[in-house]
């Protein structure tokens, strides 16, 4: 027996060591799709791709070749994921020819002559401060800008401006100048053993220069303003290239290669450098103070007041003594009476569970780095897919609640759960997409993608909601801890501060207060075209939001029941859900104070998308508040003896 036991231990040890080595190897070889490193030898061709033109003034992206830039012989679209298409990304090849560690000086790209139409197009894009976005080895093109307040600090702006507006000395008339010379810098990290290199940086300094040449233009013409043979390069925009009809523009570029100590795994660090981490910590501390305050109130209610109430109620001997008492016990016969529009409440609770599951799983993936900015479009794709597959939980949650309310038509409920929230969002999205389409923007979702979204909705999400609804309805109904009276009790006149509208609006302030600082950074990343990557902070704030919503709803629900008002079902949902109203008001404040949007179409897009975000926030926070109150009422009424 002893030898057999020893041999078993050896076998187990071998299996464990094998599994450890396998997992270690798998971890070593694991890279996210599309972000695996690529090694380049000297002279290897580098693929420079162009992306959309973006503007924080209009929020309408356009494809690169919507302007008459130099095109390649054949324009080829890159394969894009669902998230990239919805973001308006249009990644295409470019005529730029880069060879690894092979510097270039003043390479002529092409020469064009503007007509009235093309000149107008360039002027409009310069007016709206559009930027050109490019990609090299999955790294976005950035313009390094040294901060004036900190000598050693450099910030990076995504993309370079198409051009700029200015005035000639002695003139007050605005002129338009185009950035027609680009000085690229490609940073690489070299492996001394193999001499191969990995790209770790892609920067540009744009210049506007009126190129000159001798004689008539042909393919062999040499520029006098920028000549690699005489080592003459562009270092300033002192003689800028004006944008006017019938004027010619010569596009040129330089490529410089710089060896860097930054390793490939850390190449995004410079782009994501966080100079405001103190503000995020302040946000966390601010939110934690709110949570501690509410937790103290909940603890006081649960440990002191409720304990005293339950003890006193259980010691009452006669019915006369019970009738003399006031407070939350007196409404025990009505507190679990099904609310008005109970079907709609079930639908919204189910949708909230679906949304909560999607956000929670997305956050966990993001915290572990699966949804980093290098995985372009990954965040939106993940959220859409998770929403679709979380439909099964939506159906289950709504059906369980519906059966508790003695409902019978679960199929009708499942259909409403599957279609109400997505239907409203899709209707708003469709109108916004039509507006974008009217502006001929690349941000308009193509018909094929729209069809794919509808197919995901009705082909996957709706059936999963029905599956969840079937399982939930087949389960035994949740039993109330106390019996419900046949005749509803009359609710006494309430104090002004217990007015439903007032208490609901008050209840939304603290959950919003817990997140509004982080909300600023999220809005900035969305509307000012910046990276948002601090998902660790966001996850902490999200957990604090969950706790705050639950606690404020429990506190206000307790005060409501003590006032002998038993209509808590909808009020618990709306109390924490009202934080969405403050979110929308803050988004309005942000629009007028931080953004420079002046066009009506762009304003409609902003408020349309923020309306969708606020609606989703309402469903999420409302569901958290409802379940907190549901647990609280069942807990306290199951603790007292009811005659």
């Amino acid at each position: 027996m002893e030898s057999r036991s020893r041999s078993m231990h050896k076998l187990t040890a071998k299996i464990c060591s094998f599994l450890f080595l396998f997992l270690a190897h798998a971890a070593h070889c694991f890279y996210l799709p599309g972000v695996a490193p690529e090694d380049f030898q000297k002279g290897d061709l580098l693929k420079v791709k162009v992306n959309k033109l973006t503007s924080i003034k209009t929020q309408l992206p356009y494809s690169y070749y919507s302007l008459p830039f130099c095109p390649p012989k054949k324009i080829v679209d890159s394969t894009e994921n669902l998230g990239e298409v919805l973001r308006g990304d249009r990644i295409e090849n470019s005529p730029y020819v880069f060879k690894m560690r092979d510097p270039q000086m003043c390479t002529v790209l092409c020469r064009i002559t503007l007509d009235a139409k093309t000149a107008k197009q360039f002027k409009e894009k310069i007016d709206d401060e559009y930027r050109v976005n490019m990609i090299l080895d999955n790294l976005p093109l950035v313009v390094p800008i040294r901060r004036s307040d900190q000598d050693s600090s450099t910030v990076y702006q995504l993309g370079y401006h198409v051009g700029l507006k200015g005035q000639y000395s002695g003139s007050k008339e605005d002129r338009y100048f185009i950035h027609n010379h680009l000085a690229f810098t490609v940073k690489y990290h070299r492996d001394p053993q193999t001499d191969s290199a990995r790209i770790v940086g892609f920067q540009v300094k744009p210049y506007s220069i009126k190129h000159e040449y001798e004689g008539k233009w042909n393919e062999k013409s040499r520029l006098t303003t920028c000549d690699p043979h005489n080592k003459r390069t562009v270092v300033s925009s002192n003689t800028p290239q004006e944008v006017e009809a019938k004027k010619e523009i010569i596009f040129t570029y330089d490529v410089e290669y710089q060896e860097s100590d930054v390793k490939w795994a850390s190449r995004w660090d410079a782009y994501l450098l966080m100079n405001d981490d103190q503000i995020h910590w302040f946000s966390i501390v601010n939110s934690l103070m709110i949570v501690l305050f509410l937790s103290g109130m909940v603890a006081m209610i649960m440990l002191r007041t409720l304990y005293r109430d339950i003890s006193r109620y259980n010691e009452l001997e006669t019915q006369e003594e019970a009738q003399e008492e006031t407070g939350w016990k007196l409404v025990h016969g009505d507190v679990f009476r099904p609310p008005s529009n109970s079907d709609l409440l079930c639908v919204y609770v189910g949708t909230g569970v679906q949304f909560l599951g999607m956000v929670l799983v997305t956050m966990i993936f993001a915290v572990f780095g699966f949804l980093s900015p290098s995985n372009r479009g990954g965040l939106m794709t993940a959220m859409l897919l998770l929403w679709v597959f979380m439909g099964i939980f939506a159906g289950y949650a709504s059906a369980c609640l519906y059966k508790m309310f003695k409902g019978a038509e679960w199929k009708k409920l499942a259909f409403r759960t599957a279609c109400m929230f997505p239907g409203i969002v899709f209707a708003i999205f469709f109108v916004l997409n039509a507006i974008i389409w009217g502006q001929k923007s690349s941000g308009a979702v193509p018909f094929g993608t729209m069809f794919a979204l509808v197919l995901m909705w009705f082909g996957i999400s709706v059936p999963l909601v029905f599956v969840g609804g079937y399982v939930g309805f087949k389960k035994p109904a949740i039993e109330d801890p106390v019996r419900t009276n046949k005749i509803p009790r009359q609710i006494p006149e309430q104090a002004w501060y217990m007015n439903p509208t007032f208490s609901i609006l008050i209840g939304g302030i603290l959950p919003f207060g817990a997140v509004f600082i982080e909300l600023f950074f999220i809005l900035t990343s969305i509307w000012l075209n910046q990276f948002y990557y601090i998902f660790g902070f966001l996850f902490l704030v999200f957990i604090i939001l969950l706790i705050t919503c639950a606690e404020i709803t429990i506190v206000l629900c307790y005060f409501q029941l003590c006032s002998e008002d038993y209509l808590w079902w909808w009020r618990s949902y709306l109390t924490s859900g009202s934080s969405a109203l403050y979110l929308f008001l803050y988004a309005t404040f942000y629009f007028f104070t931080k953004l420079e949007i002046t066009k009506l179409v762009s304003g409609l897009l902003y408020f349309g998308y923020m309306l969708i975000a606020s609606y989703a926030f309402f469903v999420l926070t409302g569901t958290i508040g409802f379940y907190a109150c549901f647990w609280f009422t069942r807990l306290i009424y199951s603790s007292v003896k009811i005659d």
Side-chain angles (χ1 to χ4, degrees), residues 394-410:
Y396 180 81
S398 59
C400 285
L401 196 60
Y402 183 65
K403 191 168 185 180
M404 193 187 80
F405 291 148
K406 307 292 190 292
E409 298 177 339
W410 72 269

Side-chain angles (χ1 to χ4, degrees), residues 276-300:
D276 45 22
D277 55 340
Q278 289 183 343
I279 299 172
H280 291 278
W281 282 117
F282 172 74
S283 168
I284 299 291
V285 172
N286 166 64
S287 304
L288 282 173
M289 293 302 291
I290 293 172
V291 168
L292 287 172
F293 168 69
L294 284 174
S295 298
M297 289 192 70
V298 171
M300 185 182 71

Side-chain angles (χ1 to χ4, degrees), residues 68-71 110-114 118 122 247-251:
F69 287 117
C70 306
C110 74
R111 169 182 170 272
I112 63 169
T113 303
L114 299 178
T118 52
F122 272 121
K247 288 205 172 188
E248 68 171 15
I249 300 174
I250 298 172
F251 289 93

Side-chain angles (χ1 to χ4, degrees), residues 6 45 96 110 155 179 233 241 246 252 278 321-322 328 401 406 426 456 515 524 555 560 563 571:
R6 198 180 296 116
L45 193 66
Y96 294 95
C110 74
V155 293
H179 285 136
T233 185
Q241 174 63 59
K246 297 180 181 178
T252 55
Q278 289 183 343
E321 284 179 301
W328 55 267
L401 196 60
K406 307 292 190 292
F426 190 81
M456 285 170 62
V515 300
T524 301
V555 170
Q560 180 188 346
S563 302
R571 201 192 284 197

Side-chain angles (χ1 to χ4, degrees), residues 50 64-65 70-78 91-94:
V50 291
Y64 178 82
Y65 294 111
C70 306
K73 292 179 181 178
K74 184 183 178 183
I75 297 173
V76 180
D77 291 327
S78 297
I91 302 170
E92 298 157 314
N93 62 329
S94 75

